[in-house]
mmCIF file of all heavy atoms in Angstrom:
data_model
loop_
_atom_site.group_PDB
_atom_site.id
_atom_site.type_symbol
_atom_site.label_atom_id
_atom_site.label_comp_id
_atom_site.label_asym_id
_atom_site.label_seq_id
_atom_site.Cartn_x
_atom_site.Cartn_y
_atom_site.Cartn_z
ATOM 1 N N PRO A 1 0.840 -1.207 0.000
ATOM 2 C CA PRO A 1 0.000 0.000 0.000
ATOM 3 C C PRO A 1 0.874 1.256 0.000
ATOM 4 O O PRO A 1 2.019 1.228 0.447
ATOM 5 C CB PRO A 1 -0.789 -0.093 1.300
ATOM 6 C CG PRO A 1 -0.522 -1.425 1.874
ATOM 7 C CD PRO A 1 0.679 -1.985 1.217
ATOM 8 N N PRO A 2 0.327 2.358 -0.476
ATOM 9 C CA PRO A 2 1.096 3.605 -0.462
ATOM 10 C C PRO A 2 1.436 4.017 0.974
ATOM 11 O O PRO A 2 0.743 3.642 1.926
ATOM 12 C CB PRO A 2 0.171 4.619 -1.137
ATOM 13 C CG PRO A 2 -1.180 4.010 -1.136
ATOM 14 C CD PRO A 2 -1.013 2.536 -1.007
ATOM 15 N N LEU A 3 2.469 4.784 1.091
ATOM 16 C CA LEU A 3 2.958 5.224 2.403
ATOM 17 C C LEU A 3 1.871 5.906 3.223
ATOM 18 O O LEU A 3 1.789 5.718 4.431
ATOM 19 C CB LEU A 3 4.156 6.160 2.185
ATOM 20 C CG LEU A 3 5.032 6.486 3.366
ATOM 21 C CD1 LEU A 3 5.530 5.230 4.056
ATOM 22 C CD2 LEU A 3 6.200 7.339 2.926
ATOM 23 N N ARG A 4 1.005 6.674 2.584
ATOM 24 C CA ARG A 4 -0.045 7.400 3.306
ATOM 25 C C ARG A 4 -1.010 6.460 4.031
ATOM 26 O O ARG A 4 -1.688 6.868 4.967
ATOM 27 C CB ARG A 4 -0.803 8.319 2.362
ATOM 28 C CG ARG A 4 -1.629 7.608 1.331
ATOM 29 C CD ARG A 4 -2.340 8.549 0.364
ATOM 30 N NE ARG A 4 -2.673 7.874 -0.861
ATOM 31 C CZ ARG A 4 -1.877 7.752 -1.915
ATOM 32 N NH1 ARG A 4 -0.692 8.298 -1.898
ATOM 33 N NH2 ARG A 4 -2.273 7.116 -2.985
ATOM 34 N N ASP A 5 -1.065 5.194 3.605
ATOM 35 C CA ASP A 5 -1.961 4.227 4.229
ATOM 36 C C ASP A 5 -1.256 3.361 5.267
ATOM 37 O O ASP A 5 -1.836 2.379 5.745
ATOM 38 C CB ASP A 5 -2.580 3.311 3.160
ATOM 39 C CG ASP A 5 -3.488 4.065 2.210
ATOM 40 O OD1 ASP A 5 -3.942 5.186 2.557
ATOM 41 O OD2 ASP A 5 -3.742 3.541 1.105
ATOM 42 N N ARG A 6 -0.014 3.709 5.614
ATOM 43 C CA ARG A 6 0.758 2.888 6.553
ATOM 44 C C ARG A 6 1.355 3.771 7.646
ATOM 45 O O ARG A 6 2.565 3.909 7.766
ATOM 46 C CB ARG A 6 1.863 2.147 5.800
ATOM 47 C CG ARG A 6 1.324 1.234 4.725
ATOM 48 C CD ARG A 6 2.355 0.360 4.059
ATOM 49 N NE ARG A 6 3.726 0.785 4.082
ATOM 50 C CZ ARG A 6 4.404 1.217 3.016
ATOM 51 N NH1 ARG A 6 3.821 1.301 1.848
ATOM 52 N NH2 ARG A 6 5.661 1.548 3.112
ATOM 53 N N GLY A 7 0.470 4.353 8.467
ATOM 54 C CA GLY A 7 0.886 5.313 9.492
ATOM 55 C C GLY A 7 1.976 4.808 10.415
ATOM 56 O O GLY A 7 2.950 5.509 10.676
ATOM 57 N N ASP A 8 1.825 3.590 10.953
ATOM 58 C CA ASP A 8 2.841 3.060 11.866
ATOM 59 C C ASP A 8 4.156 2.805 11.135
ATOM 60 O O ASP A 8 5.231 3.030 11.672
ATOM 61 C CB ASP A 8 2.353 1.776 12.539
ATOM 62 C CG ASP A 8 1.213 2.047 13.508
ATOM 63 O OD1 ASP A 8 1.068 3.198 13.958
ATOM 64 O OD2 ASP A 8 0.455 1.106 13.802
ATOM 65 N N ASP A 9 4.065 2.315 9.894
ATOM 66 C CA ASP A 9 5.272 2.089 9.097
ATOM 67 C C ASP A 9 5.984 3.399 8.802
ATOM 68 O O ASP A 9 7.207 3.440 8.739
ATOM 69 C CB ASP A 9 4.936 1.410 7.766
ATOM 70 C CG ASP A 9 4.483 -0.030 7.937
ATOM 71 O OD1 ASP A 9 4.594 -0.562 9.047
ATOM 72 O OD2 ASP A 9 4.027 -0.604 6.932
ATOM 73 N N LEU A 10 5.209 4.453 8.616
ATOM 74 C CA LEU A 10 5.793 5.751 8.299
ATOM 75 C C LEU A 10 6.755 6.201 9.400
ATOM 76 O O LEU A 10 7.870 6.648 9.116
ATOM 77 C CB LEU A 10 4.708 6.805 8.080
ATOM 78 C CG LEU A 10 5.282 8.167 7.778
ATOM 79 C CD1 LEU A 10 5.322 8.398 6.282
ATOM 80 C CD2 LEU A 10 4.494 9.245 8.461
ATOM 81 N N ALA A 11 6.347 6.071 10.650
ATOM 82 C CA ALA A 11 7.198 6.483 11.766
ATOM 83 C C ALA A 11 8.482 5.660 11.800
ATOM 84 O O ALA A 11 9.585 6.209 11.941
ATOM 85 C CB ALA A 11 6.447 6.366 13.086
ATOM 86 N N LEU A 12 8.353 4.343 11.652
ATOM 87 C CA LEU A 12 9.535 3.477 11.654
ATOM 88 C C LEU A 12 10.451 3.790 10.478
ATOM 89 O O LEU A 12 11.673 3.852 10.622
ATOM 90 C CB LEU A 12 9.113 2.006 11.605
ATOM 91 C CG LEU A 12 8.414 1.467 12.843
ATOM 92 C CD1 LEU A 12 7.833 0.082 12.558
ATOM 93 C CD2 LEU A 12 9.369 1.420 14.012
ATOM 94 N N LEU A 13 9.865 3.980 9.329
ATOM 95 C CA LEU A 13 10.648 4.281 8.136
ATOM 96 C C LEU A 13 11.341 5.640 8.263
ATOM 97 O O LEU A 13 12.519 5.772 7.919
ATOM 98 C CB LEU A 13 9.752 4.243 6.898
ATOM 99 C CG LEU A 13 10.437 4.428 5.568
ATOM 100 C CD1 LEU A 13 11.535 3.385 5.353
ATOM 101 C CD2 LEU A 13 9.408 4.333 4.440
ATOM 102 N N ALA A 14 10.634 6.624 8.755
ATOM 103 C CA ALA A 14 11.233 7.953 8.934
ATOM 104 C C ALA A 14 12.419 7.881 9.899
ATOM 105 O O ALA A 14 13.464 8.492 9.646
ATOM 106 C CB ALA A 14 10.184 8.943 9.429
ATOM 107 N N GLN A 15 12.273 7.135 10.985
ATOM 108 C CA GLN A 15 13.380 6.982 11.937
ATOM 109 C C GLN A 15 14.570 6.290 11.277
ATOM 110 O O GLN A 15 15.716 6.678 11.470
ATOM 111 C CB GLN A 15 12.922 6.187 13.173
ATOM 112 C CG GLN A 15 11.918 6.898 14.034
ATOM 113 C CD GLN A 15 12.480 8.117 14.767
ATOM 114 O OE1 GLN A 15 13.647 8.468 14.674
ATOM 115 N NE2 GLN A 15 11.612 8.786 15.507
ATOM 116 N N HIS A 16 14.279 5.259 10.489
ATOM 117 C CA HIS A 16 15.350 4.552 9.778
ATOM 118 C C HIS A 16 16.057 5.491 8.797
ATOM 119 O O HIS A 16 17.292 5.512 8.719
ATOM 120 C CB HIS A 16 14.781 3.336 9.053
ATOM 121 C CG HIS A 16 15.777 2.675 8.164
ATOM 122 N ND1 HIS A 16 16.775 1.863 8.660
ATOM 123 C CD2 HIS A 16 15.960 2.732 6.824
ATOM 124 C CE1 HIS A 16 17.530 1.441 7.651
ATOM 125 N NE2 HIS A 16 17.051 1.952 6.528
ATOM 126 N N LEU A 17 15.273 6.242 8.037
ATOM 127 C CA LEU A 17 15.862 7.127 7.033
ATOM 128 C C LEU A 17 16.668 8.257 7.663
ATOM 129 O O LEU A 17 17.735 8.613 7.154
ATOM 130 C CB LEU A 17 14.767 7.695 6.118
ATOM 131 C CG LEU A 17 14.070 6.671 5.216
ATOM 132 C CD1 LEU A 17 12.942 7.338 4.428
ATOM 133 C CD2 LEU A 17 15.055 5.985 4.292
ATOM 134 N N ILE A 18 16.202 8.796 8.780
ATOM 135 C CA ILE A 18 16.969 9.866 9.432
ATOM 136 C C ILE A 18 18.273 9.290 9.975
ATOM 137 O O ILE A 18 19.316 9.953 9.943
ATOM 138 C CB ILE A 18 16.138 10.605 10.514
ATOM 139 C CG1 ILE A 18 16.672 12.036 10.699
ATOM 140 C CG2 ILE A 18 16.129 9.895 11.838
ATOM 141 C CD1 ILE A 18 16.406 12.963 9.582
ATOM 142 N N GLY A 19 18.250 8.038 10.400
ATOM 143 C CA GLY A 19 19.488 7.370 10.814
ATOM 144 C C GLY A 19 20.453 7.219 9.641
ATOM 145 O O GLY A 19 21.668 7.425 9.788
ATOM 146 N N ALA A 20 19.926 6.860 8.471
ATOM 147 C CA ALA A 20 20.766 6.724 7.283
ATOM 148 C C ALA A 20 21.335 8.077 6.859
ATOM 149 O O ALA A 20 22.494 8.174 6.444
ATOM 150 C CB ALA A 20 19.956 6.103 6.140
ATOM 151 N N ILE A 21 20.534 9.122 6.978
ATOM 152 C CA ILE A 21 21.009 10.472 6.652
ATOM 153 C C ILE A 21 22.113 10.878 7.620
ATOM 154 O O ILE A 21 23.151 11.401 7.217
ATOM 155 C CB ILE A 21 19.837 11.474 6.664
ATOM 156 C CG1 ILE A 21 18.919 11.202 5.463
ATOM 157 C CG2 ILE A 21 20.331 12.916 6.670
ATOM 158 C CD1 ILE A 21 17.576 11.906 5.528
ATOM 159 N N ASN A 22 21.910 10.620 8.901
ATOM 160 C CA ASN A 22 22.934 10.944 9.895
ATOM 161 C C ASN A 22 24.240 10.205 9.586
ATOM 162 O O ASN A 22 25.325 10.792 9.651
ATOM 163 C CB ASN A 22 22.456 10.586 11.298
ATOM 164 C CG ASN A 22 21.416 11.550 11.824
ATOM 165 O OD1 ASN A 22 21.325 12.701 11.376
ATOM 166 N ND2 ASN A 22 20.609 11.093 12.757
ATOM 167 N N LYS A 23 24.127 8.935 9.251
ATOM 168 C CA LYS A 23 25.316 8.136 8.940
ATOM 169 C C LYS A 23 26.032 8.682 7.703
ATOM 170 O O LYS A 23 27.256 8.739 7.656
ATOM 171 C CB LYS A 23 24.909 6.678 8.725
ATOM 172 C CG LYS A 23 26.051 5.733 8.530
ATOM 173 C CD LYS A 23 25.542 4.302 8.434
ATOM 174 C CE LYS A 23 26.705 3.353 8.208
ATOM 175 N NZ LYS A 23 26.249 1.969 8.100
ATOM 176 N N ARG A 24 25.244 9.065 6.720
ATOM 177 C CA ARG A 24 25.817 9.575 5.461
ATOM 178 C C ARG A 24 26.585 10.877 5.661
ATOM 179 O O ARG A 24 27.608 11.103 5.037
ATOM 180 C CB ARG A 24 24.690 9.772 4.455
ATOM 181 C CG ARG A 24 25.136 10.284 3.109
ATOM 182 C CD ARG A 24 23.969 10.327 2.156
ATOM 183 N NE ARG A 24 24.319 10.913 0.885
ATOM 184 C CZ ARG A 24 23.461 11.140 -0.075
ATOM 185 N NH1 ARG A 24 22.189 10.811 0.081
ATOM 186 N NH2 ARG A 24 23.842 11.685 -1.196
ATOM 187 N N PHE A 25 26.088 11.751 6.540
ATOM 188 C CA PHE A 25 26.681 13.077 6.668
ATOM 189 C C PHE A 25 27.511 13.268 7.935
ATOM 190 O O PHE A 25 28.001 14.370 8.189
ATOM 191 C CB PHE A 25 25.597 14.156 6.578
ATOM 192 C CG PHE A 25 25.017 14.259 5.207
ATOM 193 C CD1 PHE A 25 23.796 13.694 4.907
ATOM 194 C CD2 PHE A 25 25.720 14.886 4.186
ATOM 195 C CE1 PHE A 25 23.266 13.763 3.628
ATOM 196 C CE2 PHE A 25 25.208 14.965 2.911
ATOM 197 C CZ PHE A 25 23.979 14.405 2.623
ATOM 198 N N VAL A 26 27.701 12.209 8.722
ATOM 199 C CA VAL A 26 28.527 12.332 9.917
ATOM 200 C C VAL A 26 29.927 12.805 9.504
ATOM 201 O O VAL A 26 30.481 12.360 8.502
ATOM 202 C CB VAL A 26 28.585 10.996 10.699
ATOM 203 C CG1 VAL A 26 29.370 9.934 9.964
ATOM 204 C CG2 VAL A 26 29.172 11.218 12.081
ATOM 205 N N GLY A 27 30.435 13.755 10.217
ATOM 206 C CA GLY A 27 31.758 14.284 9.896
ATOM 207 C C GLY A 27 31.744 15.415 8.889
ATOM 208 O O GLY A 27 32.775 16.036 8.642
ATOM 209 N N THR A 28 30.592 15.700 8.292
ATOM 210 C CA THR A 28 30.492 16.821 7.364
ATOM 211 C C THR A 28 30.477 18.111 8.172
ATOM 212 O O THR A 28 29.741 18.223 9.162
ATOM 213 C CB THR A 28 29.199 16.712 6.514
ATOM 214 O OG1 THR A 28 29.225 15.484 5.801
ATOM 215 C CG2 THR A 28 29.074 17.869 5.546
ATOM 216 N N ALA A 29 31.265 19.064 7.761
ATOM 217 C CA ALA A 29 31.386 20.337 8.490
ATOM 218 C C ALA A 29 30.011 20.983 8.683
ATOM 219 O O ALA A 29 29.255 21.148 7.732
ATOM 220 C CB ALA A 29 32.310 21.290 7.744
ATOM 221 N N GLY A 30 29.700 21.317 9.920
ATOM 222 C CA GLY A 30 28.466 22.007 10.244
ATOM 223 C C GLY A 30 27.245 21.106 10.408
ATOM 224 O O GLY A 30 26.183 21.586 10.781
ATOM 225 N N PHE A 31 27.395 19.821 10.135
ATOM 226 C CA PHE A 31 26.233 18.925 10.246
ATOM 227 C C PHE A 31 26.159 18.331 11.641
ATOM 228 O O PHE A 31 27.133 17.766 12.135
ATOM 229 C CB PHE A 31 26.296 17.797 9.215
ATOM 230 C CG PHE A 31 25.122 16.862 9.296
ATOM 231 C CD1 PHE A 31 23.917 17.204 8.708
ATOM 232 C CD2 PHE A 31 25.213 15.661 9.981
ATOM 233 C CE1 PHE A 31 22.821 16.355 8.789
ATOM 234 C CE2 PHE A 31 24.123 14.803 10.072
ATOM 235 C CZ PHE A 31 22.928 15.150 9.474
ATOM 236 N N LEU A 32 25.007 18.455 12.256
ATOM 237 C CA LEU A 32 24.733 17.792 13.530
ATOM 238 C C LEU A 32 23.754 16.657 13.275
ATOM 239 O O LEU A 32 22.769 16.848 12.548
ATOM 240 C CB LEU A 32 24.120 18.774 14.531
ATOM 241 C CG LEU A 32 25.030 19.900 15.014
ATOM 242 C CD1 LEU A 32 24.245 20.873 15.882
ATOM 243 C CD2 LEU A 32 26.193 19.308 15.807
#
């Protein structure tokens, strides 16, 4: 189903993706 129909999955996925973003940019100047 589309993301809009998976509210609980959305939260888990968003947390996973923000973790991946953090990992990708760790050590980049100015990035927290």
Side-chain angles (χ1 to χ4, degrees):
L3 194 53
R4 68 182 158 273
D5 295 341
R6 300 187 336 250
D8 292 339
D9 290 351
L10 179 96
L12 292 170
L13 185 57
Q15 293 292 359
H16 172 77
L17 293 176
I18 206 71
I21 290 167
N22 286 337
K23 186 176 179 180
R24 180 175 175 185
F25 291 101
V26 70
T28 301
F31 180 81
L32 293 174

